[in-house]
Amino acid sequence: MSLKPWSHGCRRSRNAPRAAEAGFTLVELLVVLTIISLILGLVGPRVLNYLGESRVKTAKLQIESLGSALDLFYLDAGRYPTTSEGLNALAQKPTTIQAWNGPYLKGGKVPVDPWGNPYQYRSPVERAPYEIVSFGADGREGGTGTAADVSNLER
């Protein structure tokens, strides 16, 4: 009885997959990467837009909180801090104030706006006793979108 080498299972048929050929082809990987990049291209700007909007909302909430602290300062001192005293008067007692029951801010520190810039404070102003402004994403006065100024007054 003579045995041929392929009859012992040493050889595979041409239709059987090999272990080395079980991966993905370059074309398949490129198609998947293209689909993922298209999805990110559509979804990415929306996510970034929501992030920008949330920073604007955070600035508005912080300005309201600072306004409440300023009202408490007013009740104790009988006036709002001057522009030169600034918002620091809410955290540290100014030398010109007798009745100060602060700090009026949690943590005793004036927060920065969501973009890492200090809030601008002016008192008095034309239409109100004070104005608190965040210059937005660009850190400069004016702007549109997320770079627009956020204030406690309508501009």
Side-chain angles (χ1 to χ4, degrees), residues 32-49:
V32 169
L33 288 174
T34 302
I35 291 170
I36 290 172
S37 65
L38 287 173
I39 291 171
L40 289 176
L42 295 173
V43 174
R46 285 188 174 210
V47 170
L48 292 175
N49 189 29

Side-chain angles (χ1 to χ4, degrees), residues 12-23:
R12 295 179 182 237
S13 69
R14 289 186 179 181
N15 294 334
R18 292 187 204 169
E21 295 176 0

Side-chain angles (χ1 to χ4, degrees), residues 6 11 35 60 68 71 73 76 110 134 138 142 151 153-154:
W6 56 84
R11 281 194 173 200
I35 291 170
K60 288 179 182 179
S68 297
D71 291 339
F73 181 95
D76 289 341
V110 179
S134 167
D138 62 355
S151 172
L153 303 177
E154 294 295 321

Side-chain angles (χ1 to χ4, degrees), residues 117-134:
N117 302 314
Y119 284 101
Q120 304 300 312
Y121 173 79
R122 292 182 275 252
S123 177
V125 292
E126 259 183 51
R127 302 174 296 175
Y130 62 86
E131 181 180 26
I132 306 168
V133 180
S134 167

